[in-house]
Amino acid sequence: MPRSTYSFKVGDIECFPLSDGSFPYPPGLFFSNVPQRRLEKELRAHGLPTDTVTGTYTCLMISTGRHKVLLDTGGGNMAPSTGELLRNLEKAGTRATEIDVVILTHGHPDHIGGTVDTEGKPAFPNARYVMWKEEWDFWTGDSPDLSSMQVPEEIKTSLIMATARRCLPPLRRQIELIEKESEVVAGIRLLPTPGHTPGHMAVAISSGNDAVLHITDAVLHPIHLEQPEWQNVFDLVKDKAAETRRLILDRAAAERLNLMAYHFPFPTLGRVVARKTHGWHWEPAA
Ligand SMILES: [Zn+2]
């Protein structure tokens, strides 16, 4: 069994990466502009299968002492292999009712699928949910423009839009929309990192001299670090996503920042190192 819970400290703040499960993707969705043979060669070089790319979903519970903050809610019932967040939250000693802030980094189904329970009620009843205003407006609007996403129409309607319609409107009374970089509770800052989606956020956690930057979906797979020009089908604003990615990674490498990334191998904690040729590589925390 792969590990599904873990903990580490950032100064006085306790962090608990919690698996929500994983999903097997056709490799062409993660790496869309790469000839198949070249991609297979790269996957093999990383010791990975060539027929699917496993996207792991790792949420993060952050306990500051005063607050219990959850970063994203996983895929919920989007697949038989997802929806493990609540069980793993309990394993970490926390009930859903104790969560007082839920950060929704963006509106994709693998991040918001667990915001509501099977009856359509908020799964974290005592929490304020926080999302970037532009992101909320995009996904709750009449007809979000998903034309730049090269996924079949069927997936756009039956999964992506269906999840947004099911999981966001019930939060209306608990949602707080932000429009500028803000501290959501002491030690946890929300940063705009647009591109993957219009209002995608990164989350900076800091306490004392210690810090970690959660880049959520600014980078989807460690191979994207080494091959920065390899695109994925999910980035909605591709040029912006590439620019955001470069800014974050240049800074992260120069400052040796501790990073987390939602779809990286569990528990997703590590650092990036600039390569001599181009790009970066991933150094998972020991
Ligand atoms: Zn994602």
Side-chain angles (χ1 to χ4, degrees), residues 6 35 47 61 65-66 79 103 133 140 157 188 214 218 270 272-273 286:
Y6 179 82
M61 199 272 283
R66 299 189 79 169
I103 299 166
K133 181 173 187 301
T140 57
T157 49
I188 305 179
H214 199 310
V272 291
V273 180

Side-chain angles (χ1 to χ4, degrees), residues 51-128:
D51 55 343
T52 52
V53 169
T54 300
T56 49
Y57 298 175
T58 303
C59 304
L60 178 67
M61 199 272 283
I62 310 158
S63 178
T64 68
R66 299 189 79 169
H67 296 282
K68 286 186 189 257
V69 178
L70 182 64
L71 185 155
D72 286 338
T73 64
N77 63 6
M78 78 172 259
S81 55
T82 63
E84 293 168 17
L85 170 64
L86 288 181
R87 191 156 14 120
N88 285 323
L89 186 64
E90 288 218 0
K91 267 200 217 164
T94 298
R95 289 169 204 215
T97 49
E98 292 176 71
I99 298 293
D100 49 13
V101 180
V102 177
I103 299 166
L104 298 176
T105 63
H106 62 293
H108 278 160
D110 48 325
H111 298 256
I112 63 167
T115 55
V116 295
D117 62 19
T118 48
E119 291 169 11
K121 299 208 181 80
F124 303 94
N126 302 320
R128 62 185 164 111

Side-chain angles (χ1 to χ4, degrees), residues 106 108 110-111 196 217 220 262-263:
H106 62 293
H108 278 160
D110 48 325
H111 298 256
H196 182 63
D217 279 12
L220 293 185
Y262 189 81
H263 295 293

Side-chain angles (χ1 to χ4, degrees), residues 163-175:
T163 307
R165 301 260 187 261
R166 180 172 61 83
C167 293
L168 295 178
L171 307 179
R172 264 182 214 291
R173 258 174 283 164
Q174 283 163 255
I175 196 85

Side-chain angles (χ1 to χ4, degrees), residues 35-286:
Q36 186 167 346
R37 286 194 155 197
R38 175 69 188 88
L39 176 55
E40 287 179 0
K41 187 178 163 214
E42 188 74 17
L43 289 166
R44 270 195 294 272
H46 283 259
L48 295 170
T50 55
D51 55 343
T52 52
V53 169
T54 300
T56 49
Y57 298 175
T58 303
C59 304
L60 178 67
M61 199 272 283
I62 310 158
S63 178
T64 68
R66 299 189 79 169
H67 296 282
K68 286 186 189 257
V69 178
L70 182 64
L71 185 155
D72 286 338
T73 64
N77 63 6
M78 78 172 259
S81 55
T82 63
E84 293 168 17
L85 170 64
L86 288 181
R87 191 156 14 120
N88 285 323
L89 186 64
E90 288 218 0
K91 267 200 217 164
T94 298
R95 289 169 204 215
T97 49
E98 292 176 71
I99 298 293
D100 49 13
V101 180
V102 177
I103 299 166
L104 298 176
T105 63
H106 62 293
H108 278 160
D110 48 325
H111 298 256
I112 63 167
T115 55
V116 295
D117 62 19
T118 48
E119 291 169 11
K121 299 208 181 80
F124 303 94
N126 302 320
R128 62 185 164 111
Y129 288 73
V130 185
M131 201 177 203
W132 203 261
K133 181 173 187 301
E134 200 178 337
E135 187 75 5
W136 172 270
D137 290 347
F138 180 82
W139 292 106
T140 57
D142 286 340
S143 49
D145 180 4
L146 303 182
S147 56
S148 59
M149 257 181 130
Q150 309 113 306
V151 300
E153 287 305 316
E154 159 68 11
I155 292 180
K156 288 184 190 174
T157 49
S158 69
L159 174 64
I160 299 172
M161 279 318 303
T163 307
R165 301 260 187 261
R166 180 172 61 83
C167 293
L168 295 178
L171 307 179
R172 264 182 214 291
R173 258 174 283 164
Q174 283 163 255
I175 196 85
E176 179 184 321
L177 301 177
I178 60 164
E179 292 181 81
K180 59 174 174 35
E181 183 180 324
S182 347
E183 195 167 51
V184 66
V185 302
I188 305 179
R189 288 190 83 74
L190 306 179
L191 315 169
T193 46
H196 182 63
T197 58
H200 178 271
M201 294 193 292
V203 180
I205 305 159
S206 62
S207 168
N209 293 324
D210 213 356
V212 60
L213 177 64
H214 199 310
I215 63 171
T216 56
D217 279 12
V219 184
L220 293 185
H221 193 284
I223 288 177
H224 288 122
L225 298 172
E226 296 174 19
Q227 309 293 344
E229 53 294 310
W230 288 12
Q231 293 177 353
N232 67 77
V233 298
F234 304 105
D235 287 348
L236 275 166
V237 195
K238 296 205 187 314
D239 291 354
K240 191 77 200 165
E243 183 191 331
T244 292
R245 201 151 37 233
R246 191 165 20 81
L247 281 172
I248 293 177
L249 296 172
D250 277 341
R251 189 185 141 212
E255 298 177 18
R256 298 284 290 153
L257 295 180
N258 298 309
L259 295 186
M260 298 184 80
Y262 189 81
H263 295 293
F264 276 31
F266 190 85
T268 91
L269 184 65
R271 286 174 175 180
V272 291
V273 180
R275 296 165 91 206
K276 281 209 182 77
T277 46
H278 79 311
W280 302 265
H281 82 91
W282 182 240
E283 235 179 44

